[in-house]
Every structure is written in structure tokens, then in C-alpha cells.
Amino acid sequence: MKILYVEDDARSAAAVGELASQQGDALVWEDNGGSALLRAGMEDFDVIILDRMLGDIDGLTITQRLRESGIDTPILILSALGRSSDRADGLDAGADDYLAKPFEPEELLARLRALHRRASGKAHSAVILFGAFECHVKARTAFRDNRHLALSPKEFELFRYLMENAGEIVTRQMLLRDVWNMDFDPQTNVVDVNIGRLRRKLEDGFDAPALETIWGSGYRILDGRKR
């Protein structure tokens, strides 16, 4: 793997870098958010590690900016803030995984390998079409009846996942696992809040509903056509 590691603690970066080198991975270290954003925009990486609390730009902001610029490289956030709500904030910002400090370098690299395998195994079409909706995967843009929908990075991930499963019921557990990369329920309303935001953006200015809530089961995207 080619790894971008954004960390202002030189000792932590050295420890992870040494282990990565032993395993045949190439690690590029940046000690501030500004340089990391430039580096991520100029080079291709397999995975990105972001310390949440940096001196200039915090890791959540970096994650949001990367997603807004169309960079979908898997991101793992490191933080001394390890509560479920902190983890939910990181994943909601667009990260794929979240690891609390202190951590073992071996666990960090194992998580990165899992993220890399999952990303490499995805075979998405360039454009997903369903009824009135279009999902342009690489451009990370969404349309309804040829009208552009301004979605946040997480809203787009939700939209894409629903489009990939068009016609099927998507459960809360599926969304936590595949969109937020959580194998547990954080007991927050992060799914409900984001589904609500996405529903409003998909339906604003249109007569036909876009999302169906199946109580006790989950959600399903509708084709958006007027009956």
C-alpha cells in the first residue's frame, strides 16, 4: 500500500513508518493539514491516516475538504477522543474508519489493509441510473430529472448506497456497517438525521417522493417518477 500519514507527533509517525516499511508498504508523512491537502491532491494513495487534532487544520475538516474535492481514498482518523459520539462525528465527516489513541501500530496497519481490500473489491459503474435519478460515482454528483442535487459527502455516500441497492430495503444495520463502517450501534441518531437531510434534498421542488421508510425494517429509494 501507498499510505499518506498526517500526524504532528514525529515519534508516532516513525513507529508506524518503520512497521509499514517492514511489511513492504510505502508511507508518506506530512506533519500538518495544509501540506497533506496539497499532497493528497497531487498524488494517488491507497489509504490516508489523519490525526484528528492537528496544529493548523483539524482532521475532520481535512476529511470534508478531500471528499468535497472528489477524493474518495479510504480515510482512517486517529484521535484521543474515543467516545461513540466522537467516532460518529468522524465517520459522518466522511472518514471510513476511526481508531482511538493510544493504539498499537499493528492494529492500525491491519485496519488499513481491511480498508484497502474493501475499496479494491468495489466494482462500481461510472453512472448508476434508477428512474428519475442518476448517480455519477467518480464525479460524486447526483441528479434528479437532470437537475443537479447538492449533496454533502456523507449524503452522497448514502445516495450511492441506496442507488446500488435500488428496489431493495436497506436496513439501519446495513447503513451503519457499509456507509459508516460501524460494526456496532453507537446509539445515536446519525442514520436518521442523515436520511432526513438526504430526503429533503432529493424531494425539494418535486412532487413525487424519493425515499420510503419501511417502519421496523429500513429505507428504500423510489424511482422518483410521478404516478
Side-chain angles (χ1 to χ4, degrees):
M1 295 183 295
K2 184 178 179 182
I3 305 165
L4 175 60
Y5 188 10
V6 189
E7 168 66 74
D8 54 8
D9 184 334
R11 287 183 296 179
S12 295
V16 174
E18 182 178 357
L19 184 59
S21 179
Q22 292 173 0
Q23 297 188 3
D25 299 316
L27 186 141
V28 175
W29 174 45
E30 294 289 349
D31 64 1
N32 66 86
S35 297
L37 284 169
L38 289 173
R39 198 70 174 262
M42 295 170 56
E43 299 181 36
D44 290 328
F45 293 93
D46 294 309
V47 287
I48 298 173
I49 311 168
L50 282 175
D51 183 27
R52 179 167 177 169
M53 303 177 74
L54 296 165
D56 56 346
I57 310 173
D58 68 272
L60 299 190
T61 300
I62 295 172
T63 300
Q64 291 168 340
R65 290 186 184 179
L66 290 174
R67 296 304 187 226
E68 288 167 359
S69 65
I71 295 174
D72 59 1
T73 305
I75 295 174
L76 183 148
I77 289 181
L78 296 174
S79 178
L81 305 175
R83 296 177 303 177
S84 295
S85 58
D86 298 319
R87 178 183 170 97
D89 288 342
L91 298 174
D92 195 33
D96 300 275
D97 200 357
Y98 192 101
L99 181 60
K101 294 181 177 182
F103 61 89
E104 293 296 332
E106 290 84 357
E107 179 184 359
L108 172 61
L109 290 178
R111 286 176 178 245
L112 293 181
R113 286 193 296 272
L115 287 176
H116 185 218
R117 284 195 303 270
R118 190 155 62 243
S120 300
K122 290 181 180 176
H124 295 300
S125 301
V127 180
I128 305 171
L129 303 176
F130 179 63
F133 293 105
E134 298 179 28
C135 176
H136 295 245
V137 176
K138 289 188 177 181
R140 297 180 66 84
T141 52
F143 297 85
R144 179 173 180 177
D145 283 336
N146 297 316
R147 185 191 302 178
H148 177 255
L149 304 171
L151 304 183
S152 71
K154 185 55 66 179
E155 289 163 356
F156 178 81
E157 291 300 321
L158 265 176
F159 175 68
R160 181 173 73 173
Y161 191 78
L162 290 164
M163 289 285 284
E164 288 170 345
N165 294 277
E168 303 293 332
I169 296 174
V170 173
T171 67
R172 176 187 175 87
Q173 289 71 29
M174 291 169 65
L175 292 172
L176 287 171
R177 182 192 67 213
D178 297 331
V179 178
W180 277 270
N181 195 39
M182 289 184 179
D183 53 8
F184 67 99
D185 191 334
Q187 301 300 313
T188 70
N189 62 348
V190 62
V191 172
D192 309 295
V193 168
N194 281 273
I195 283 287
R197 290 172 179 167
L198 178 62
R199 187 195 304 271
R200 287 192 292 273
K201 290 187 178 181
L202 296 184
E203 297 181 352
D204 184 31
F206 297 94
D207 294 329
L211 291 179
E212 180 183 12
T213 299
I214 297 90
W215 298 108
S217 297
Y219 308 94
R220 178 167 51 204
I221 192 166
L222 303 174
D223 64 14
R225 299 293 191 197
K226 292 184 66 175
R227 302 303 180 194

